[in-house]
Amino acid sequence: MAASGHDQAAATAAPGAVTAPPTERGWRPRSLAGRFLATLVVSAVLPLLLYGVYSLRGMRAQIDEQVVRVFLPQLALDHGQRLSDHLARVDQACAVVREIARRALDSPDELDAFVEQVELVPDLLDNLLDLLLLADPEGRVVYWQDGQRLGPDSHESRAALIPTHVTDQAWFRAVQTGGGTLHLPWGRSALLHRGLDHRSLDPASHHLGVALDVPRPTGRPGVLFALVRWAEVQQILDAARTVLTEDAHLPGAEVFLVDPSGRIVGHTDRSRYGLALAPTSLAQALQRQGPAGRAEFVDAGGAAGRVGYAACGDDPARQFVLGVTVAERELFAQSEAFARALWWTIAASVGVLVLWSLLASRTITAPVQTLAA
């Protein structure tokens, strides 16, 4: 009897031959590549992602701890102390001049001796003062000298501003009546400048005033008046910014000095001189906090920033707050660069793994497909 076609095909098949699975049962060669890719992603990319996120959070926390919480407030505190020490040094120098002037009003010879002795006081008219003036008990100006840092070409114009009498000056009357030392607030003086309504951007145009009584053996005291060089204070602010730009690599950082009213009396950006501290959120942050610390603020453009600050000065006319501001985008620039590098690395890793999975799966499935054909 002749065998059927099915029996003949079965007879001719070699023992142990692999029969290709029917396609209706869902044989999908790509499923192997998908499972292979998922395994590689879980074993390689996921640990990298977790490590990157952990490292990024740790980096930002370290910057916040070391820079924002410690470095910025400490920098403000250190340079605020430098400012206080500088003003204390000025007061000491003025006190020395006051002692020298005790006998200067007794006779012309004593006045001549006073002029010579004043020249010997270290740094007095070189770096500390822009003007030194002595008035007798009647308010007559018997001596004045401008600082050596002022331009010699404008000496005559400054001389025209020095009055012969100062009895109309509030500081003269206050010191002669109450005695002691009187500190005058920051600003421009009519004894050195005209047009006081003009907002000057030059630190050398601003001063602090100091008035001291000069006791005499008998009668009313004379008065010694001095204008403290503000340019020396500006140098302290500039030195703080140098630390930020060169040592901390924060080129956009700014340093400012404000009085209790919130007016800027010193700034590394000279164009801010005499303006109110802005933005409002920064001024409010300083008012809410204590004498030293840190705060967050948002500038007029909507960018977040951090500030470290410290109060300095004891006298009401010399109470200031020194602040150091840094934009968050600059403060966390390294962590942002690390985040970008991390995402690019993960993207590249996924791309390599996809390609490797496809190649590996084809290598595995190729023999099976060949046999199935």
Side-chain angles (χ1 to χ4, degrees), residues 12 40 78 98 104 109 120 124 135 145 158-159 172 178 211 216 226 257 265 269 275-276 307 311 341 366:
T12 56
L40 291 177
D78 292 344
R98 176 195 183 199
D109 292 338
L120 301 178
L124 182 68
Q145 181 63 50
R158 289 193 296 272
F172 177 82
R216 303 178 65 213
L257 192 70
V265 299
D269 181 2
L275 300 177
V307 59

Side-chain angles (χ1 to χ4, degrees), residues 31-268:
S31 62
L32 179 61
R35 288 192 291 270
F36 193 31
L37 176 61
T39 301
L40 291 177
V41 168
V42 171
S43 61
V45 177
L46 185 59
L48 176 62
L49 177 62
L50 295 177
Y51 170 77
V53 172
Y54 176 79
S55 299
L56 182 61
R57 294 182 61 182
M59 182 182 298
R60 292 182 66 91
Q62 185 177 19
I63 293 174
D64 186 72
E65 176 67 27
Q66 295 183 356
V67 179
V68 179
R69 297 190 179 188
V70 178
F71 176 67
L72 294 183
Q74 188 62 46
L75 182 68
L77 187 63
D78 292 344
H79 286 78
Q81 186 61 48
R82 284 184 57 183
L83 172 58
S84 299
D85 293 343
H86 173 73
L87 296 180
R89 182 186 174 198
V90 172
D91 288 342
Q92 292 175 358
C94 291
V96 171
V97 177
R98 176 195 183 199
E99 294 301 318
I100 298 174
R102 282 180 177 271
R103 300 179 59 183
L105 301 176
D106 294 340
S107 67
D109 292 338
E110 293 292 345
L111 182 59
D112 292 339
F114 166 78
V115 174
E116 295 178 358
Q117 293 172 1
V118 165
E119 299 293 335
L120 301 178
V121 179
D123 290 335
L124 182 68
L125 293 169
D126 296 341
N127 300 313
L128 302 181
L129 303 180
D130 274 343
L131 178 67
L132 183 64
L133 181 148
L134 178 63
D136 65 11
E138 286 71 36
R140 291 189 298 267
V141 177
V142 298
Y143 165 83
W144 75 274
Q145 181 63 50
D146 50 359
Q148 297 181 9
R149 293 290 188 92
L150 300 178
D153 297 338
S154 56
H155 176 79
E156 295 301 327
S157 62
R158 289 193 296 272
L161 298 176
I162 302 298
T164 58
H165 290 76
V166 290
T167 51
D168 59 338
Q169 299 292 327
W171 52 263
F172 177 82
R173 297 191 300 269
V175 171
Q176 195 173 54
T177 302
T181 301
L182 175 65
H183 292 137
L184 277 70
W186 175 89
R188 303 179 71 216
S189 174
L191 298 177
L192 286 180
H193 305 286
R194 292 185 175 91
L196 300 185
D197 295 335
H198 170 68
R199 185 173 70 91
S200 175
L201 307 182
D202 182 8
S205 297
H206 303 277
H207 300 86
L208 290 175
V210 184
L212 307 90
D213 68 327
V214 181
R216 303 178 65 213
T218 58
R220 294 177 300 171
V223 176
L224 184 70
F225 180 77
L227 289 177
V228 181
R229 278 182 55 83
W230 195 250
E232 300 298 318
V233 175
Q234 181 63 46
Q235 290 182 5
I236 296 176
L237 303 183
D238 292 338
R241 187 177 186 277
T242 299
V243 174
L244 292 165
T245 56
E246 296 185 1
D247 297 345
H249 306 291
L250 298 170
E254 296 181 338
V255 183
F256 63 86
L257 192 70
V258 295
D259 63 10
S261 68
R263 178 180 56 172
I264 296 176
V265 299
H267 205 291
T268 49

Side-chain angles (χ1 to χ4, degrees), residues 264-348:
I264 296 176
V265 299
H267 205 291
T268 49
D269 181 2
R270 283 15 176 213
S271 64
R272 306 286 296 278
Y273 256 80
L275 300 177
L277 182 62
T280 305
S281 60
L282 176 57
Q284 293 175 346
L286 296 186
Q287 292 175 356
R288 290 194 302 263
Q289 305 297 328
R294 66 190 186 279
E296 301 179 6
F297 67 95
V298 178
D299 63 18
R306 304 292 183 92
V307 59
Y309 63 91
C312 54
D314 298 327
D315 189 273
R318 293 184 174 182
Q319 289 180 348
F320 305 110
V321 175
L322 192 152
V324 179
T325 61
V326 182
E328 278 195 5
R329 64 178 181 277
E330 184 174 299
L331 187 64
F332 297 106
Q334 292 184 349
S335 63
E336 294 298 330
F338 175 79
R340 289 191 298 270
L342 172 65
W343 295 122
W344 277 111
T345 301
I346 291 176

Side-chain angles (χ1 to χ4, degrees), residues 25-33 35 365:
R25 291 187 180 184
W27 170 253
R28 297 185 302 271
R30 291 186 179 181
S31 62
L32 179 61
R35 288 192 291 270
T365 58

